[in-house]
Amino acid sequence: FFFSSRRRHTRFKCDWSSDVCSSDLIVGGVWSGQLKQPMDHRFRWLQLAPFARRQVATVAAAMTARAYSRESQNGFLLTTVRSELVEGTYVERVQFVEKLRDPLGGEVSLKRVEFRQTDFRLSVGFPQLELRNPSRSVKPLLNHIASALDFKVAISGIQIGPLDWVAAIESQGVSVQITALRSNRFPLTASILAAIQLNGAQDVRTHLRTLVGNRSVSVDAVVCGWQGETGVWKVELRTSGVAEVFSAPGDFPETKLREALRSVPRNTQA
């Protein structure tokens, strides 16, 4: 338990220069112990408003005009263009010089090139923008999308309750087990908040209800799993509309997460 003597009011704030938000940070060995496998996939969902079907063609044309080539520093490679969605990859070529010390104390400069790629899905229905395995900075991609729409569309993050997200997945006929959860604002008293983490081999929701009683509590992230056709999926869901997949036996069914998002009450924040 980590205690705070004053009530804290946390605002969701995201700096688009980094793909990591303050609400995404993981602390504590207990939580990291739940995620021993390397990450297989990372998804992040954002909202575009207003965004109508007629604007899809506008975005697709702008992305086609800015297609990535060997001569460009960044651009798009589109794979699917339909009346209601656009799918593709945004590519950035980053050049930098790495300086190394040799065994005799001299300095060696190495020119390096790095290609940063983010797969995306842009569609009419919420959530309008899906990023798959995004690079650390998504700001250039978001700027290009906004520019293609004459900056008349607001791109915003979403806030969603992970427990509500899990319940929406279960409503699709999936049996989900939550083996870890984190709350950064657990109310011990009217004026004292605690950061708590629960983890176990069994579902921890029963223990959360025992701790909470009749109090209201917000959950910031959960680690959950369910049986798929080829094995057990293990996923972390966060309030910021981020899903990290740590066990992916086969093609991960992100459609389940996307469809579940559409049925969950949500708040949007810029």
Side-chain angles (χ1 to χ4, degrees), residues 5 14-15 21 23 38 51 56 113 117 121 134 136 169 172 191 197 199 210 215 230-231 235 238 245-246 252 255 262:
S5 60
C14 189
D15 177 4
C21 297
S23 60
F51 188 65
V56 175
V113 177
Q117 303 181 54
R121 181 182 190 272
R136 180 169 178 79
I169 296 172
Q172 301 176 24
S191 59
Q197 298 177 122
N199 81 309
T210 301
R215 291 169 295 179
T230 55
V235 185
R238 304 179 189 173
V245 184
F246 290 88
F252 181 74
T255 302
R262 291 174 178 169

Side-chain angles (χ1 to χ4, degrees), residues 176-237:
V176 180
Q177 185 179 63
I178 297 179
T179 54
L181 64 82
R182 184 180 76 245
S183 173
N184 295 328
R185 299 172 299 279
F186 186 86
L188 294 180
T189 69
S191 59
I192 299 178
L193 301 178
I196 70 166
Q197 298 177 122
L198 301 180
N199 81 309
Q202 305 299 322
D203 200 305
V204 300
R205 279 177 283 190
T206 301
H207 302 285
L208 178 65
R209 288 190 287 267
T210 301
L211 285 172
V212 171
N214 59 0
R215 291 169 295 179
S216 175
V217 63
S218 61
V219 173
D220 298 282
V222 301
V223 176
C224 61
W226 65 87
Q227 183 67 45
E229 294 182 359
T230 55
V232 176
W233 304 103
K234 193 168 186 178
V235 185
E236 180 188 357
L237 304 177

Side-chain angles (χ1 to χ4, degrees), residues 152-168:
K152 295 179 180 179
V153 171
I155 303 176
S156 59
I158 63 175
Q159 278 191 305
I160 186 170
L163 293 179
D164 294 332
W165 201 350
V166 170

Side-chain angles (χ1 to χ4, degrees), residues 20-191:
V20 179
C21 297
S22 59
S23 60
D24 293 345
L25 299 180
I26 297 176
V27 295
V30 175
W31 188 264
S32 61
Q34 278 285 331
L35 305 174
K36 294 180 180 179
Q37 306 99 323
M39 184 183 67
D40 290 326
H41 304 287
R42 188 172 195 262
F43 299 91
R44 183 173 189 175
W45 285 276
L46 303 166
Q47 175 172 269
L48 274 68
F51 188 65
R53 184 182 294 266
R54 57 182 172 77
Q55 294 170 291
V56 175
T58 302
V59 171
M63 290 179 176
T64 300
R66 199 180 181 89
Y68 180 77
S69 67
R70 290 187 174 87
E71 291 72 35
S72 59
Q73 289 295 114
N74 54 56
F76 295 91
L77 297 174
L78 300 186
T79 57
T80 303
V81 177
R82 296 206 294 263
S83 61
E84 75 284 358
L85 71 86
V86 177
E87 291 183 310
T89 302
Y90 178 72
V91 183
E92 292 179 275
R93 182 173 60 190
V94 180
Q95 297 176 320
F96 58 95
V97 177
E98 183 178 4
K99 294 184 178 181
L100 303 175
R101 289 284 182 183
D102 66 28
L104 300 179
E107 188 175 82
V108 179
S109 296
L110 299 177
K111 293 183 179 180
R112 295 187 57 184
V113 177
E114 183 176 291
F115 295 94
R116 299 173 183 173
Q117 303 181 54
T118 298
D119 296 331
F120 66 91
R121 181 182 190 272
L122 186 61
S123 61
V124 175
F126 179 90
Q128 289 85 356
L129 181 57
E130 175 180 299
L131 305 181
R132 307 165 187 164
N133 299 320
S135 60
R136 180 169 178 79
S137 175
V138 297
K139 185 175 181 179
L141 169 58
L142 300 183
N143 283 342
H144 286 318
I145 293 175
S147 175
L149 294 167
D150 295 326
F151 298 99
K152 295 179 180 179
V153 171
I155 303 176
S156 59
I158 63 175
Q159 278 191 305
I160 186 170
L163 293 179
D164 294 332
W165 201 350
V166 170
I169 296 172
E170 291 177 321
S171 69
Q172 301 176 24
V174 179
S175 178
V176 180
Q177 185 179 63
I178 297 179
T179 54
L181 64 82
R182 184 180 76 245
S183 173
N184 295 328
R185 299 172 299 279
F186 186 86
L188 294 180
T189 69
S191 59

